[in-house]
């Protein structure tokens, strides 16, 4: 149901929910009981591209396409890395760090 903005003659502004087929041009002001007319405003059609929308997309994707884990996660204090060993005799002539 769309949200419509109204302003009365005294300057009060408020929002009201109406069905699109039933929205009146004028209604009673909720603040001062005067006559409020409907304002023309831009519709809020889409939130695509916002951070909230991205979060919803990622949550839906993880539900349908979960990431496949092939091994245990590595900890920062895991086993030390081994130096690669070469058996090429030409590599023995290269300078060492
Ligand atoms: Zn008012």
């Amino acid at each position: 149901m769309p949200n419509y903005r109204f302003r009365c003659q005294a300057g009060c502004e408020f929002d009201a929910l109406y069905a699109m087929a039933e929205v009146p041009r004028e209604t009673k002001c909720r603040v001062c009981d005067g006559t409020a007319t409907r304002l023309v405003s831009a519709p809020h059609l889409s939130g695509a591209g916002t951070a909230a929308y991205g979060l919803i997309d990622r949550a839906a994707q993880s539900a349908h396409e979960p990431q496949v884990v092939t091994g245990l996660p590595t900890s920062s204090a895991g086993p030390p890395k081994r130096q690669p060993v070469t058996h090429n005799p030409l590599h023995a002539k290269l300078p060492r760090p």
Side-chain angles (χ1 to χ4, degrees):
M1 199 177 298
N3 196 12
Y4 294 95
R5 190 129 184 104
F6 290 88
R7 181 188 300 149
C8 78
Q9 295 168 343
C12 315
E13 287 193 8
F14 60 93
D15 294 326
L17 291 174
Y18 285 101
M20 292 178 74
E22 299 171 358
V23 59
R25 284 186 176 269
E26 294 181 344
T27 186
K28 194 171 80 173
C29 178
R30 294 180 177 176
V31 181
C32 66
D33 286 343
T35 302
T37 57
R38 189 179 62 189
L39 299 177
V40 177
S41 60
H44 183 70
L45 297 177
S46 174
T50 62
Y53 210 83
L55 178 64
I56 292 169
D57 280 349
R58 286 191 299 277
Q61 183 180 11
S62 70
H64 297 289
E65 304 167 16
Q67 292 180 344
V68 177
V69 178
T70 58
L72 295 174
T74 58
S75 65
S76 60
K81 291 183 178 180
R82 292 180 17 197
Q83 285 285 78
V85 177
T86 179
H87 299 288
N88 188 334
L90 295 176
H91 291 169
K93 297 179 181 177
L94 292 174
R96 299 287 174 200

